[in-house]
Amino acid sequence: MGRQVLVVLCLVVGLATNPISALGRTCSARARQQQDSAAPLPATATTPIAGSSDELSATSRRAYAELFKLRIPAARSIIGAELRQQPRHPGTLLVDAAIGFTELAVSQDGSRYGALIEAQNRCIAALDKLPPTALRDYARAEVRLHQAAAQIMFEHELQGAWSLRQAYLQVQQNAKRWPGHLPTQKTLGLCQFLIGSVPEGYRWFLNLLGLPGNTAAGLRHLGNAAERPNDFQTEAAILRGLIRQTYYGADAEAEALTTRLARAQPDNLLFSYLVMSVQKKLHHADQALAAYRARPVGAAYQPVPYLHHMAADLLLYQGQYAASVRANQQFIKEYRGVHYRKDAWFKMYLAHWLAGNAPAAEQCRRQIAGTGETVVEEDRYAQRFVDDRVPLNPVLTQARLQLDGGYFRPALATLRAFRAAAATPLRDRLEEPYRRARAYHGLGRLDSARLFYTRTIALSGTAPYYFAPQAALQMGYLSQQAGQLAQAKAYFQKALGYHKHEYKTSTDAKAKVALAGLK
């Protein structure tokens, strides 16, 4: 349990210097709570403050801009020359360390791990010898955070937990020592929010580490860094936008931000990924797939195999089964990590199965148990499919995929073919009203959505499936939107009360944040 929460925290904490390290994090249903729109952000990645000694140098800023585009070779070439000129500048050391961490976080290549940890230790030792400045202290905390993320990603949990504690304590000290330093507020806000959103079941572990959290304070500090010029302003805006979309339903804000960034820098692979990710979460499969196809490619860019896995999902939603299989095969071939492998084989199973190719589907099903891990929720879901040995219902499966792609009317048409019989498994009996609720919700027919959400909850009892917890979460959001706060609170608490379902970690985190917002 402790490892799972640390993996989630550290993967996102890795965003503090480069948001692409969040690849692999997945969020399920989106919260529906509305908040005020964010302040507009300049399209460029940085807005320097002239004359400040706590800024990146012009050359480091150029390297950082290339890193932000995932053009690793160019970033490394630029920062290498800068290291020869300014080997003791904290900004130079920070950007150089961020390049190595980004390569590891995106590729998930374990062969790079040992060298990265040694390089991070050398960087921290070099920073320790420099005179204290806001940038020096910020760099020390950032590199330590990235080290914690790397250690936990590669199953060195005890070292990672200790590094995370050291980094967060440093960030807190930096905020007191340099209260006006906006990059420090960015990282402090990120840590505060993520730790504050951890479900109660994990609180004992974070309390043991001495890591306090506060979602409201976290958003406030992120907002300060997102709205005022600093070298890391765009990072702060992206972090805030993704958090607000995931936990507060600020879909339009996230869509506008990522679209604006990608249009301003069409050669930026990170921004293309963000557009794709946000559109996929919005159930806009057509737009997400368009972003995938329009992304910049070539030897100048760091390979991002996970993009092919995302594209495979989108093609599956559209019923392009052969193309979906090819995309996941490319992912499996290029990817060096252990996460999402079970999910990839499961999605290939679905594609073959729905296409009527039973032998190929069975070959994929056998691969699920023998590959990857079960840390991320998608992999746990795939493994449970194998362990439970309950056959999938083709009507419900096709409807689910259509809903995930945003094809709500076709999904309702598909669901009309579902007929429950005496031998129909309980799981299918619960899934059918839940899928109808999601379709009506997507179409804005909220009375019908409420009817089928409540039916799902009533039929489920304590069944160990995610349909009732998700239905309770969505009913909480709908009640909150309607101003029925007492009812919303009851539904959010109900969502927290379900145990042992596939998406408990993300469901509980969202319910907890929603409850905090009701106070």
Side-chain angles (χ1 to χ4, degrees), residues 19 41 43 234 237-242 245 250-266 268-282 284 291:
L41 174 78
T234 297
I238 290 171
L239 289 167
R240 183 178 64 171
L242 296 180
Q245 182 194 26
D251 294 335
E253 176 186 325
E255 184 176 24
L257 171 65
T258 54
T259 300
R260 184 167 68 250
L261 291 172
R263 285 177 178 171
Q265 293 186 17
N268 190 311
L269 181 56
L270 170 61
F271 293 167
S272 295
Y273 158 73
L274 290 173
V275 171
M276 188 178 174
S277 178
V278 167
Q279 294 295 341
K280 187 171 184 280
K281 291 174 186 175
L282 290 173
H284 295 167

Side-chain angles (χ1 to χ4, degrees), residues 323-351:
S324 177
V325 169
R326 288 194 297 270
N328 260 327
Q329 286 173 336
Q330 186 175 1
F331 166 71
I332 291 291
K333 179 181 178 181
E334 297 178 6
Y335 185 56
R336 297 292 177 264
V338 297
H339 306 304
Y340 295 98
R341 288 186 174 274
K342 291 180 184 292
D343 184 53
W345 284 109
F346 175 61
K347 298 297 174 52
M348 285 190 278
Y349 165 85
L350 291 180

Side-chain angles (χ1 to χ4, degrees), residues 1-13 152 164 194-195 197-199 201-206 209 211 375 380 505:
M1 182 175 292
R3 178 172 186 257
Q4 289 176 3
V5 70
L6 280 173
V7 168
V8 172
L9 282 172
C10 282
L11 281 174
V12 185
V13 164
I152 294 168
L164 177 61
L194 293 175
I195 292 172
S197 67
V198 169
Y202 297 130
R203 290 306 310 170
W204 67 269
F205 187 76
L206 295 177
L209 292 176
L211 300 178
V375 175
R380 291 203 295 273
T505 300

Side-chain angles (χ1 to χ4, degrees), residues 40-378:
L41 174 78
T44 55
T46 60
T47 307
I49 307 170
S52 171
S53 62
D54 282 320
E55 292 179 357
L56 298 179
S57 69
T59 303
S60 291
R61 194 174 291 122
R62 283 176 49 224
Y64 169 76
E66 292 299 311
L67 175 61
F68 218 66
K69 294 179 179 181
L70 296 184
R71 295 204 292 220
I72 301 295
R76 178 165 282 119
S77 175
I78 294 169
I79 206 64
E82 181 76 346
L83 280 169
R84 290 189 290 272
Q85 295 293 324
Q86 298 193 70
R88 290 170 52 83
H89 192 285
T92 307
L93 294 169
L94 171 62
V95 174
D96 180 57
I99 292 171
F101 174 72
T102 300
E103 280 189 307
L104 181 72
V106 176
S107 71
Q108 297 285 295
D109 185 352
S111 66
R112 300 175 182 266
Y113 171 78
L116 176 75
I117 296 298
E118 291 178 4
Q120 288 173 327
N121 287 335
R122 289 194 300 269
C123 180
I124 292 170
L127 288 166
D128 286 342
K129 296 176 182 178
L130 299 181
T133 65
L135 181 58
R136 193 285 302 254
D137 290 350
Y138 169 77
R140 290 169 69 224
E142 293 294 287
V143 176
R144 185 67 76 184
L145 276 173
H146 297 164
Q147 187 171 73
Q151 288 166 332
I152 294 168
M153 278 190 285
F154 290 92
E155 301 187 19
H156 298 275
E157 293 90 353
L158 291 178
Q159 298 97 315
W162 184 248
S163 294
L164 177 61
R165 182 177 186 275
Q166 285 181 299
Y168 192 27
L169 291 176
Q170 287 178 0
V171 171
Q172 291 176 308
Q173 293 169 358
N174 294 349
K176 294 177 181 179
R177 188 173 190 179
W178 314 103
H181 191 240
L182 294 172
T184 294
Q185 291 197 39
K186 175 208 68 181
T187 305
L188 176 64
L190 175 65
C191 293
Q192 287 175 320
F193 185 91
L194 293 175
I195 292 172
S197 67
V198 169
E200 291 301 324
Y202 297 130
R203 290 306 310 170
W204 67 269
F205 187 76
L206 295 177
N207 289 337
L208 186 64
L209 292 176
L211 300 178
N214 185 315
T215 54
L219 278 179
R220 185 171 64 254
H221 287 126
L222 272 173
N224 290 339
E227 294 167 10
R228 295 163 59 189
N230 66 91
D231 277 324
F232 305 96
Q233 182 182 13
T234 297
E235 287 185 23
I238 290 171
L239 289 167
R240 183 178 64 171
L242 296 180
I243 285 174
R244 281 169 50 79
Q245 182 194 26
T246 300
Y247 293 95
Y248 300 103
D251 294 335
E253 176 186 325
E255 184 176 24
L257 171 65
T258 54
T259 300
R260 184 167 68 250
L261 291 172
R263 285 177 178 171
Q265 293 186 17
D267 62 341
N268 190 311
L269 181 56
L270 170 61
F271 293 167
S272 295
Y273 158 73
L274 290 173
V275 171
M276 188 178 174
S277 178
V278 167
Q279 294 295 341
K280 187 171 184 280
K281 291 174 186 175
L282 290 173
H283 306 293
H284 295 167
D286 296 346
Q287 294 91 322
L289 200 54
Y292 171 75
R293 289 168 174 158
R295 75 196 187 281
V297 297
Y301 292 92
Q302 169 73 24
V304 186
Y306 184 72
L307 292 175
H308 306 311
H309 183 50
M310 293 176 69
D313 277 356
L314 299 168
L315 292 163
L316 190 59
Y317 303 159
Q318 294 182 339
Q320 298 191 51
Y321 300 133
S324 177
V325 169
R326 288 194 297 270
N328 260 327
Q329 286 173 336
Q330 186 175 1
F331 166 71
I332 291 291
K333 179 181 178 181
E334 297 178 6
Y335 185 56
R336 297 292 177 264
V338 297
H339 306 304
Y340 295 98
R341 288 186 174 274
K342 291 180 184 292
D343 184 53
W345 284 109
F346 175 61
K347 298 297 174 52
M348 285 190 278
Y349 165 85
L350 291 180
H352 287 305
W353 177 62
L354 290 170
N357 190 341
E362 176 59 21
Q363 289 178 358
C364 293
R365 189 192 68 81
R366 291 176 179 174
Q367 290 285 345
I368 295 172
T371 186
E373 295 188 359
T374 55
V375 175
V376 299
E377 291 177 328
E378 289 83 352

Side-chain angles (χ1 to χ4, degrees), residues 461-496:
T462 58
Y465 304 115
Y466 70 90
F467 310 120
Q470 281 293 309
L473 186 68
Q474 296 302 322
M475 282 298 296
Y477 294 139
L478 290 172
S479 300
Q480 188 175 26
Q481 286 180 344
Q484 300 166 336
L485 301 187
Q487 188 177 70
K489 180 178 180 180
Y491 275 118
F492 291 138
Q493 289 174 333
K494 189 173 188 65
L496 288 169

